[in-house]
Amino acid sequence: CSVVVLVACSHGGIEFKMNLLLATICFGFLVTQTAGEGCCCCTGACVYKDDPPCPCPQPPPGKKLPPCSLQNALNAYQQKYSALAPSHNNSKDFYPSKTEGSPDTMLSWESSSGWTSGFYPGLLWQLANMTASTNKPASAMYHKAADVCTQGRAVESNDTSTHDVGFMVFGSFGNGYELGGMGAPYADILVQAAHSLATRWSPTVGMIRSWGDKTDETKFEVIIDNLMNLELIFWVASYTSNKTLYNIAASHALKTGELWLRDDNSTVHLCIFDPKTGKLETPCTGTPQGYSANSTWSRGQAWGIYGWTLAHRYTNDPRFLTFAERAADYYMKNADKSTKVPLWDFNAPSNMLWPDTSAAAITASALQELSVAVDKPEYKSYAKDIMSAMCTDYLFDTSAGSTGSQAVFWGNKHDGCVSEAINCTIIETDYYMLEAIRRNM
C-alpha cells in the first residue's frame, strides 16, 4: 500500500515536490501526485511546469489560486531591480555588493574594482533579455542601465592584479554580448580582459594564479573560485580561435579536478604551489573561507560543480563531467534534505548553522546544464527542488507593511551580516538564482 501524507497549503500556493504518494488538501479538495513529480496548483510561473500536471482543485467562487512561489520571485526581481536600475542610467561608478544596515536589508555599494561588481550589470542584462518580448519599456530601461554600468567597468579589462577579472568583466560585458546584442565593442573588451587574466598563468605550475602578485617567487596560490573565471578565457579562445588561451583554461580546469577533489568528493578551497618548480608545497588542505582547513566550504563546492560543467561546455572533455558529477553528488548527499540549501560550510559547528543560499543558487543553475550534458534527469529535478525552496523559504518579504529589502533572496550571514540576524545577502545569490530561473523557463 502507498503512504499518504497530508500537507497544508502554504502562502506560496500549491507548488511542491512529491517524495512518496502525497496528498494535499487545499480549498477543501484532495490533490495527489506520484513520486518524484511536482505540482503547480497555482498561478503564474512554476518551478515544476514541465512535470506531469496534477489534478488541481478549482477554487471556490470568487477565489483565485494563489501565485506560484516562482512567480513571487519573478515579481520581486521586477520590483527590486526596476527601482535600482534608474539610478545607474547616468552613473558608472558604484555597484551593489551585499546588504547591510539594520536589519541587513539595504545594499552597500562598491567600486568597479570589487570582485562582485560584475554581477549587478549581469543581472540587468538578464532582466533586459527576459522582458524583451513581454514588457518592452521595462526591457529598454534595464538595457540602458546595464549598458551604462557595464561600460563603467571597461577599465577592469586591463587589471592583471587579480583572477577576479573573469567575474568582473565576463559577468558584465559577456552577458552584454550574449544577452544584450552589444556586438564588437563589447567583444574587444572581453578579448583584452582575457589576455590580462592570462598574464597570471604559469606554465611551470600549469595554472592561473589566484592571489598575490603575479611575479611572487615565494608561493603560488590557487583557489577553487578561479574555475569560474575560466569562462572569460574559454570564450575569448573560441571567439578569436586562440589555441594558447584554450590550452591555458583547459589545463587549469583539469588540474583543479585532479587536486581539489578529496576522496569523499568534497573540495578544498586553496592549494599552494612552489612557483619555481610547480610542485605542491603541502597537500591541498586550505579552506580559508570555510570553517577549518579540512572542512568543506559550500560555495566552493558549488563553484566546482559549475566550473567543471562550463569547462566541459567549451572542451567536450568527459573528464570535466566526471569532476562535476563527483562534486554534485557530494552536495546532494550533504545539503539539507528538505530545502536542499546547504550550510555555509558542510562541517559547520552547532553554533554556526547558517544557510548559504549563494551556494544553493549556483548549484541550481549548474545542475540544469549538467543534467543535459550527462543525460541524468535527477540533476534537473534536484535543481528544481532547490529553486522551489529558495522561492518559498528564502525570499525577502515583499508584502505591504514589510521593512523591505533591496535584494530578492536572503541567507548569507557568513559573508558579513552586521546584525545577529541571518537575513543578509550577497549580490551573487540574486545573480545565479535568476540564471537558474532563466534556464528553467
Side-chain angles (χ1 to χ4, degrees), residues 30-313:
L30 187 70
V31 180
T32 63
Q33 186 74 333
T34 55
E37 297 172 351
C39 275
C40 291
C41 298
C42 49
T43 58
C46 178
V47 170
Y48 300 111
K49 64 181 177 60
D50 296 323
D51 289 16
C54 295
C56 298
Q58 293 300 311
K63 298 287 186 179
K64 293 182 179 180
L65 287 172
C68 302
S69 61
L70 178 59
Q71 186 61 54
N72 286 334
L74 288 171
N75 293 343
Y77 273 106
Q78 296 280 358
Q79 174 187 334
K80 305 299 179 64
Y81 288 98
S82 64
L84 277 176
S87 67
H88 263 289
N89 282 345
N90 298 299
S91 173
K92 305 177 181 180
D93 300 327
F94 295 99
Y95 302 84
S97 172
K98 62 183 179 180
T99 55
E100 290 182 339
S102 182
D104 295 301
T105 56
M106 303 306 292
L107 285 164
S108 62
W109 300 72
E110 65 181 9
S111 70
S112 66
S113 62
W115 82 268
T116 64
S117 58
F119 291 123
Y120 175 65
L123 267 165
L124 296 180
W125 285 122
Q126 290 189 73
L127 288 167
N129 180 270
M130 292 172 70
T131 56
S133 61
T134 58
N135 189 337
K136 292 187 182 301
S139 180
M141 180 266 294
Y142 290 130
H143 193 284
K144 179 181 178 182
D147 184 30
V148 169
C149 62
T150 294
Q151 290 188 43
R153 320 204 66 276
V155 65
E156 305 308 331
S157 65
N158 297 308
D159 189 352
T160 62
S161 68
T162 175
H163 71 136
D164 288 325
V165 67
F167 281 121
M168 295 153 62
V169 176
F170 197 82
S172 50
F173 286 92
N175 278 306
Y177 186 94
E178 295 287 345
L179 302 178
M182 297 307 291
Y186 269 43
D188 291 344
I189 295 293
L190 291 167
V191 171
Q192 175 58 41
H195 284 279
S196 294
L197 179 56
T199 67
R200 300 183 65 78
W201 157 260
S202 165
T204 303
V205 179
M207 305 194 81
I208 297 168
R209 186 193 298 262
S210 297
W211 293 342
D213 191 282
K214 64 182 181 180
T215 62
D216 185 355
E217 291 295 319
T218 62
K219 60 183 177 180
F220 192 102
E221 296 178 306
V222 184
I223 58 176
I224 196 168
D225 318 39
N226 211 347
L227 279 171
M228 302 296 289
N229 294 299
L230 298 182
E231 184 161 18
L232 171 64
I233 293 184
F234 274 130
W235 189 93
V236 170
S238 176
Y239 181 78
T240 61
S241 301
N242 188 315
K243 190 66 174 177
T244 299
L245 287 178
Y246 175 92
N247 289 337
I248 285 173
S251 172
H252 185 106
L254 184 60
K255 198 160 188 176
T256 308
E258 293 170 345
L259 295 177
W260 267 252
L261 277 163
R262 302 185 180 110
D263 290 342
D264 66 352
N265 297 327
S266 64
T267 56
V268 297
H269 182 210
L270 168 69
C271 293
I272 303 175
F273 301 85
D274 183 330
K276 297 177 181 177
T277 66
K279 294 181 179 180
L280 275 173
E281 289 192 347
T282 59
C284 296
T285 58
T287 309
Q289 288 183 249
Y291 172 63
S292 65
N294 293 303
S295 68
T296 303
W297 177 46
S298 63
R299 195 183 312 141
Q301 193 77 16
W303 290 145
I305 300 167
Y306 196 115
W308 288 310
T309 301
L310 79 82
H312 172 265
R313 185 199 317 154

